[in-house]
Amino acid sequence: MGSTENIWNAVEVPESHSSEVPSSSLAVDHSLSLPEMKPRIVELCKDLFKQWSSLDASDFSLETVSGGITNLLLKVSVKEKDGNVVHMTVRLYGPNTEYVINRERELQAIPFLSAAGFGAKLLGVFGNGMVQSFINARTLTPLDMRKPKLVSKIAKQLRRFHEVGIAGSKEPQLWNDVFKFFERASSLKFDDHEKQKKYETISFGEIHKEIIELKEMTDRFNAPIVFSHNDLLSGNLMLNDEEDKLYFIDFEYGSYSYRGFDIGNHFNEYAGYDCDYSLYPIKDEQYHFFRYYLKPDSPHEVSDEELKALYLETNTFMLASHLYWALWALIQAKMSPIDFDYLSYFFLRYNEYKNQREKSFLLARSKFSGSQIDS
């Protein structure tokens, strides 16, 4: 497994956007301290935005907005010659994230999503990241996500998000991505002896069988294919409390996929990074979400049949979310230098898949057999 090998096609800025958005070949080391990083960020900004080329380094300031388990996000403030201060975000991709993220797909989608009012505006791209407009809002917590008022706002926004059209192929990518992840995850070798021992306890034959069976089951739903966020966790939801405005951010994993996957994945994220799946929304909580998703302007007109159908769809695709992120975590356990126990995260996600499998498959089969099962 060479370091240049990639499960995706080579990542390039698409031709259609390279002329519209400034680009730079410069890269910034993700591991530097903030003081060490500043001169490199200043150089990058001057290279991307020629109007700032004569500014002094003291006209630039930066602070860390977040350090997730994939990227580093910085707020950069620039004092222009006329005294105006411009704020923007610089997103540094985590090292080796190209093994799990299709950057070309992301860059293709951002202008369309931005035009529809989602996320931040793309201002520039560089060797290992992008520059976007700054969003003045706070990041939600997993507990915020389940508050009824916010649930309805998220559901309405997700419906609108799913109505955005992105240029290019509309082929759903979920299973293509899962099989790519499986291929990569099943052929790893860890230098760390303890990690290797844990890794060797995983039955990839069993996982492959589960992927095939789950794909066959989900295919029977003929679920709507929409442009999906695919990573709608609390960290990718921001709220401006003063304006009561909700933002979706970070479209790294966005692709055409299945409606039920995007919703089921969102519900899984109620558990947070601690994976407390006792927080997974109960049926009534899901129905509250579904009403505002299906009919944002008249949620109480949604029929019981519509609610039940989306409930069965979502709670079958929810299983696919566990497989997707479990396999993702194995790749990250090998590739990512970030201090996070990805190997344990694999077991948390895969074990929850096994915990929920029987109930979800039973519910799905009830739909196709016509039998009534108490869910």
Side-chain angles (χ1 to χ4, degrees), residues 102-116:
N102 184 332
R103 296 292 178 193
E104 186 174 3
R105 197 160 73 191
E106 178 190 12
L107 287 168
Q108 184 177 22
I110 284 174
F112 295 95
L113 293 167
S114 179

Side-chain angles (χ1 to χ4, degrees), residues 91-321:
R91 182 180 306 279
L92 298 180
Y93 305 147
N96 301 324
T97 51
E98 70 274 9
Y99 286 96
V100 289
I101 293 170
N102 184 332
R103 296 292 178 193
E104 186 174 3
R105 197 160 73 191
E106 178 190 12
L107 287 168
Q108 184 177 22
I110 284 174
F112 295 95
L113 293 167
S114 179
F118 288 100
K121 185 179 180 185
L122 182 65
L123 303 178
V125 292
F126 57 97
N128 64 331
M130 64 175 68
V131 182
Q132 294 174 287
S133 59
F134 180 73
I135 294 176
N136 184 25
R138 67 178 177 89
T139 303
L140 295 189
T141 67
L143 290 177
D144 284 331
M145 274 199 318
R146 62 188 305 121
K147 293 175 180 174
K149 185 183 173 187
L150 278 173
V151 168
S152 58
K153 288 179 79 71
I154 294 166
K156 286 179 177 182
Q157 279 274 61
L158 188 59
R159 172 58 182 259
R160 205 165 65 78
F161 189 91
H162 285 168
E163 290 170 346
V164 177
I166 308 295
S169 170
K170 305 293 190 286
E171 180 193 354
Q173 295 301 309
L174 172 62
W175 296 109
N176 292 342
D177 290 351
V178 168
F179 282 113
K180 285 172 184 174
F181 284 2
F182 177 83
E183 184 182 346
R184 171 69 63 183
S186 60
S187 57
L188 298 173
K189 185 148 185 72
F190 292 90
D191 298 327
D192 183 290
H193 179 65
E194 288 305 311
K195 281 187 178 180
Q196 184 64 25
K197 272 175 64 179
K198 278 188 186 176
Y199 176 75
E200 288 172 1
T201 67
I202 300 166
S203 170
F204 285 100
E206 175 189 280
I207 293 173
H208 191 265
K209 181 171 173 285
E210 294 295 340
I211 293 170
I212 298 295
E213 288 187 13
L214 183 59
K215 182 183 183 302
E216 287 174 354
M217 181 60 81
T218 57
D219 283 350
R220 296 181 70 184
F221 279 87
N222 291 317
I225 295 163
V226 294
F227 191 82
S228 302
H229 187 287
N230 296 326
D231 191 23
L232 207 56
L233 75 168
S234 61
N236 288 337
L237 292 162
M238 298 185 75
L239 182 70
N240 181 312
D241 290 293
E242 289 180 13
E243 298 175 8
D244 195 28
K245 186 170 181 181
L246 179 74
Y247 296 89
F248 287 4
I249 63 166
D250 292 8
F251 310 126
E252 295 179 308
Y253 294 94
S255 70
Y256 274 95
S257 191
Y258 303 97
R259 173 183 69 177
F261 178 81
D262 215 10
I263 300 173
N265 184 74
H266 173 64
F267 287 166
N268 277 337
E269 294 297 350
Y270 279 39
Y273 287 134
D274 295 333
C275 295
D276 180 1
Y277 290 107
S278 68
L279 298 174
Y280 188 82
I282 62 172
K283 187 176 181 180
D284 285 350
E285 291 173 313
Q286 292 190 40
Y287 275 23
H288 176 67
F289 184 99
F290 297 153
R291 285 189 178 94
Y292 286 89
Y293 176 85
L294 290 168
K295 292 188 177 175
D297 298 324
S298 50
H300 301 298
E301 293 178 13
V302 178
S303 69
D304 289 344
E305 291 76 14
E306 289 173 299
L307 292 170
K308 180 70 182 293
L310 188 49
Y311 178 79
L312 295 176
E313 178 189 320
T314 295
N315 288 280
T316 307
F317 275 100
M318 167 272 289
L319 292 176
S321 161

